[in-house]
Amino acid sequence: MFVVGAVVLAAAGSSGALPLAVAAAAVVAVRVLDLPRPFDLAFILAMALTGWGEALRLYDRFGHYDVFVHFLVPLFGAPCVYIALARLDTRPDPADASGRSGT
């Protein structure tokens, strides 16, 4: 979805190709975290909101799109960041019942 959109927009000469390319790179890069599927979907949705919103100029067309995105992206992204930090052993693993990290 991101790559095809970026290619189509680049072929059309639109500046919206770059945000989609960045979103595509982020979606591919997060795969190394092997997030649980609901969190993976949440990250993809967050990148879709930002990438497509910029590519289609939704921030300019709809006054409240910015507020909508700034509410949902942290809501979707924060758990993914926490899981990434837990996998780096800097935060307690959510699957660990004791709630203590390995320190």
Side-chain angles (χ1 to χ4, degrees), residues 9 11 14 20 28 37 40 43 45 56-57 60 62 65 82-84 96:
L9 288 174
S14 173
L20 285 180
V28 170
R37 292 299 159 239
D40 193 35
F43 187 80
L45 289 174
L56 299 175
R57 301 185 193 273
D60 299 329
F62 303 104
Y65 187 78
Y82 188 89
I83 291 171
D96 183 13

Side-chain angles (χ1 to χ4, degrees), residues 35-101:
L35 294 171
R37 292 299 159 239
F39 297 104
D40 193 35
L41 176 62
F43 187 80
I44 292 169
L45 289 174
M47 291 298 98
L49 286 171
T50 58
W52 282 103
E54 190 66 38
L56 299 175
R57 301 185 193 273
L58 297 178
Y59 291 100
D60 299 329
R61 291 183 188 170
F62 303 104
H64 294 292
Y65 187 78
D66 186 48
V67 174
F68 177 72
V69 170
H70 279 90
F71 174 75
L72 288 179
V73 168
L75 181 72
F76 290 159
C80 301
V81 172
Y82 188 89
I83 291 171
L85 292 172
R87 299 245 167 102
L88 293 170
D89 285 332
T90 61
R91 300 279 100 208
D93 189 340
D96 183 13
S98 69
R100 290 185 264 162
S101 65

